[in-house]
Amino acid sequence: MKKRKKDLELISSGVRGKRTPGDIAVDVIIYIVFGFFAFACFWPFYYLFINSISNNDLVENGKIMFTPMGVHFDNYIRVMKIGGIGRAAMVSVVRTVVGTILHVLCTSFMGYVMSRQELWHRKFCYRYVIMTMYLGVGLIPVYMNIRSLGLINNPLLYVITGIVGPYNMILVKTYVESIGQSLEESAVIDGAGYTTRFTRIILPLCKPVLASIAVFRAVGEWNAYMDTIIYMPNGKWETLQSLLFKYLNQATALAKMLEAGGIVDELGETVSISPAGVRYTLTFITVFPILLVYPYFQRFFTKGIMLGAVKG
């Protein structure tokens, strides 16, 4: 017994022994590489922010690189007074929240249905859905179809057209297939139907993969703008992103309009606003909400994607 204990101590000490120079070098390289990637991801947002709060003349000349200069928040105050930006922001928020919730529910239910062996013509239905990932009919047929459904200038367009995602359905289907059948079989014995099994058993067990597809969809909904430009010509249901797209193309005229409003600082001096300042401010206002939501769901990504992509 003593000898065995001594052998275990030797093995343990060997595992936790002194780190070699090679180990330290590998760790340093890993930290440098991942630190560089982290900086590359963080830098664009930091650059947007410092340029949105810096002196507009310096921003227009491209002199703001690492630290803000002549800090002020007049750009945000003035840009928030642009006509329609409040309504557009509300439309984007409602579209993102409602669209994401319905997408997660419908996609997860479809993935659950496709995982059932007893589904009538299961393989045909599954392949038919997957086929839509690779085949597209083009913009004109899609526009004609949407017009025939009465979705032009209709906010239901934002929800209906993306209510199911084939790729996310595959993730949910594979995840559900990796769950043991014993729980569901016990529910069947108790007389539970498909809806009860889905809501009471499958959904609670699928939280990681559902959180992952929720983030994917929320980011897509928040950043979408082409459908608004194409299918919402009257501008009544304009989103924040489509408004940003329009104003970025008209930044010079918008800057002149805002400057004509007479931005005055605390010292009584008129503060100029530049096209570049308008672009940076509008862009940061658009990306800031998703920056707040994304880190919260980040912890679900690894578990959700890995378990949803590997069949146990």
Side-chain angles (χ1 to χ4, degrees):
M1 182 63 68
K2 292 183 178 179
K3 183 178 180 182
R4 184 179 178 183
K5 185 178 180 180
K6 186 176 181 180
D7 293 338
L8 291 175
E9 290 177 354
L10 290 175
I11 294 173
S12 179
S13 63
V15 173
R16 301 195 304 265
K18 293 184 178 180
R19 296 171 58 80
T20 64
D23 295 334
I24 298 175
V26 170
D27 287 345
V28 171
I29 294 174
I30 290 174
Y31 279 116
I32 291 175
V33 171
F34 282 98
F36 173 78
F37 280 111
F39 176 78
C41 294
F42 170 76
W43 173 253
F45 303 107
Y46 174 74
Y47 185 78
L48 280 176
F49 179 68
I50 63 174
N51 277 273
S52 66
I53 64 173
S54 296
N55 181 281
N56 289 310
D57 294 330
L58 298 177
V59 172
E60 191 67 28
N61 294 325
K63 295 182 178 180
I64 306 298
M65 292 299 296
F66 299 102
T67 57
M69 300 174 64
V71 176
H72 66 89
F73 294 92
D74 297 299
N75 287 347
Y76 288 94
I77 296 173
R78 203 62 180 173
V79 166
M80 292 303 294
K81 294 181 180 179
I82 296 175
I85 194 170
R87 178 183 176 85
M90 182 59 65
V91 171
S92 293
V93 171
V94 174
R95 171 185 181 171
T96 302
V97 173
V98 176
T100 300
I101 293 174
L102 292 179
H103 176 83
V104 170
L105 290 177
C106 295
T107 301
S108 59
F109 185 75
M110 192 170 184
Y112 169 69
V113 170
M114 290 296 177
S115 67
R116 301 300 89 193
Q117 297 293 334
E118 61 270 22
L119 176 65
W120 183 71
H121 287 302
R122 171 175 172 270
K123 291 185 178 180
F124 171 78
C125 295
Y126 181 68
R127 290 171 181 172
Y128 184 80
V129 174
I130 298 303
M131 185 175 61
T132 61
M133 296 176 59
Y134 304 100
L135 301 178
V137 296
L139 179 60
I140 295 177
V142 172
Y143 182 87
M144 295 176 63
N145 185 39
I146 290 177
R147 186 178 64 179
S148 65
L149 293 174
L151 296 178
I152 300 296
N153 292 319
N154 190 333
L156 291 177
L157 169 79
Y158 296 141
V159 177
I160 294 177
T161 55
I163 201 166
V164 174
Y167 175 75
N168 292 336
M169 184 208 70
I170 295 173
L171 293 179
V172 177
K173 172 183 175 295
T174 310
Y175 193 102
V176 172
E177 289 175 345
S178 67
I179 299 175
Q181 298 296 318
S182 58
L183 291 175
E184 198 167 355
E185 290 172 356
S186 63
V188 173
I189 295 174
D190 293 336
Y194 287 106
T195 304
T196 303
R197 280 181 270 162
F198 173 71
T199 55
R200 299 290 183 87
I201 298 176
I202 300 301
L203 279 183
L205 294 176
C206 291
K207 286 182 180 179
V209 71
L210 294 182
S212 298
I213 67 175
V215 174
F216 293 154
R217 191 60 195 176
V219 173
E221 290 281 4
W222 182 262
N223 292 330
Y225 67 94
M226 283 304 299
D227 52 356
T228 304
I229 295 174
I230 297 173
Y231 305 119
M232 303 289 181
N234 64 1
K236 183 178 180 180
W237 301 105
E238 195 169 34
T239 62
L240 187 61
Q241 289 67 32
S242 62
L243 195 69
L244 171 66
F245 176 81
K246 180 175 69 175
Y247 284 148
L248 287 181
N249 292 330
Q250 303 172 357
T252 302
L254 181 62
K256 291 181 179 179
M257 180 189 71
L258 293 176
E259 193 169 4
I263 305 176
V264 179
D265 62 9
E266 298 177 353
L267 299 177
E269 300 177 354
T270 302
V271 179
S272 64
I273 187 168
S274 63
V278 172
R279 293 190 185 98
Y280 290 128
T281 305
L282 282 172
T283 304
F284 189 79
I285 290 175
T286 304
V287 302
F288 183 69
I290 208 67
L291 288 177
L292 297 179
V293 177
Y294 193 88
Y296 175 76
F297 291 95
Q298 179 68 32
R299 57 197 176 100
F300 294 105
F301 275 11
T302 302
K303 184 177 180 181
I305 296 301
M306 292 301 294
L307 291 180
V310 180
K311 185 175 180 179

